[in-house]
Amino acid sequence: QVQLVESGGGSVQTGGSLRLSCAASGHTYSNGCIGWFRQPPGKQREGVAAIAGDGSTRYADSVKGRFTIDQDHANILYLEMNGLKPEDTAMYYCAAGCKTWWRPLLDVDRYNYWGQGTQVTVSS
């Protein structure tokens, strides 16, 4: 079984940066089903960034040019966030494992495993 643990969240001011990490235990990630999601207060969970099976990346329009997803050789997943805005405030989750492989990369129903989340708060 897979366990995912996020870290790196915190409180920053507008324009600041954070780098989130997601470490896996039990099994390694598959880069065909791995990504970052977030859930702002009062809203449903939404896709932020994901890595496709061919290594290409997908980003939500709201974060393009500001966020970067990457997976290193140790299979640790990262989300580098720059130019943070108050609307980026959310609980951020990493996701992995192909549950429903035909779903879009930023669809929550694609993924089997989820971390507990790490809080990101951006103040103005």
Side-chain angles (χ1 to χ4, degrees):
Q1 54 189 18
V2 173
Q3 292 181 308
L4 305 174
V5 180
E6 303 95 336
S7 61
S11 298
V12 299
Q13 294 187 339
T14 298
S17 299
L18 286 171
R19 186 177 178 87
L20 307 184
S21 300
C22 177
S25 63
H27 299 283
T28 58
Y29 296 139
S30 167
N31 64 3
C33 294
I34 191 164
W36 286 96
F37 293 75
R38 67 187 183 186
Q39 187 166 10
K43 299 176 66 176
Q44 72 263 36
R45 195 168 300 184
E46 62 187 21
V48 176
I51 302 176
D54 64 358
S56 62
T57 56
R58 301 288 185 273
Y59 295 93
D61 289 342
S62 60
V63 307
K64 275 186 175 180
R66 299 189 298 118
F67 290 12
T68 303
I69 188 171
D70 191 37
Q71 185 178 8
D72 69 9
H73 295 300
N75 289 322
I76 299 175
L77 183 68
Y78 299 96
L79 183 68
E80 183 178 352
M81 305 184 294
N82 299 306
L84 285 163
K85 305 174 181 179
E87 52 263 43
D88 295 318
T89 295
M91 184 72 74
Y92 282 72
Y93 300 89
C94 63
C98 291
K99 174 185 177 181
T100 312
W101 59 267
W102 59 88
R103 297 286 189 180
L105 294 179
L106 298 181
D107 190 326
V108 297
D109 292 330
R110 180 177 174 85
Y111 301 91
N112 260 330
Y113 307 106
W114 297 85
Q116 294 296 313
T118 185
Q119 179 68 42
V120 172
T121 302
V122 185
S123 61
S124 60

